[in-house]
Amino acid sequence: MKTWLSGALAALVCASGIGFAQEPPKEEPKKQEEGKKRGGPMALPTSADLKEKCGLDEEQVKKVDEILASYKDKVAEAQKKIKDAEDKKAAAKEAMTLRGEITGKLVEVGKDDEQKKKLTEATAPPQRKKKE
């Protein structure tokens, strides 16, 4: 009887293990979603992302594109400084100041308080995972 019971238990453990092995990982969609959300430079969303998330009209989308285009050279320069700098923290701080300036101009595109709130949330810097 013990042999039969241990054999049944082993079969049950194997069967449940197979079920877990076939289940897709749950973190993959979050990573893909995050990549779509932050398609622009300096982890800023693109105008298409803002249109979708914040309900921007075509005129607002044009303004967002103009803002992002006007900062293109400054962003490239800031990213190069970070890459080449000996003091990466100082260069990153400078880049975050530039990012804040861009974000402020993007939020100004909103027509009302609700849309400005959505723009603020959509352009907020991505949260870093805390080390355990």
Side-chain angles (χ1 to χ4, degrees):
M1 174 116 175
K2 285 184 180 180
T3 308
W4 178 82
L5 187 57
S6 64
L9 184 59
L12 181 62
V13 169
C14 287
S16 64
I18 291 170
F20 288 121
Q22 293 175 351
E23 191 173 315
K26 295 188 182 204
E27 289 190 33
E28 287 300 318
K30 287 182 183 178
K31 287 180 183 176
Q32 291 172 352
E33 195 174 296
E34 186 68 25
K36 290 179 184 175
K37 185 170 91 171
R38 306 290 180 174
M42 299 181 84
L44 286 166
T46 62
S47 59
D49 295 333
L50 292 175
K51 180 180 180 180
E52 181 182 321
K53 289 184 177 207
C54 305
L56 301 182
D57 59 26
E58 291 303 316
E59 181 182 322
Q60 290 172 306
V61 171
K62 287 180 186 178
K63 287 180 183 178
V64 168
D65 285 335
E66 289 172 5
I67 291 167
L68 293 175
S70 70
Y71 280 95
K72 184 178 179 181
D73 293 336
K74 288 182 180 180
V75 167
E77 184 180 321
Q79 290 175 331
K80 187 175 188 268
K81 278 185 184 179
I82 292 173
K83 184 179 177 184
D84 297 339
E86 288 182 32
D87 185 7
K88 296 206 185 285
K89 283 188 177 184
K93 187 174 181 181
E94 188 178 318
M96 286 306 292
T97 302
L98 177 62
R99 188 186 191 289
E101 186 180 321
I102 296 168
T103 299
K105 291 195 179 208
L106 292 176
V107 171
E108 289 176 8
V109 172
K111 289 186 176 179
D112 56 24
D113 289 339
E114 174 126 1
Q115 198 172 48
K116 288 182 181 191
K117 182 180 176 185
K118 288 180 182 178
L119 283 163
T120 300
E121 291 170 359
T123 57
Q127 296 294 319
R128 290 184 171 195
K129 293 181 181 178
K130 293 184 179 181
K131 294 181 181 178
E132 293 179 17

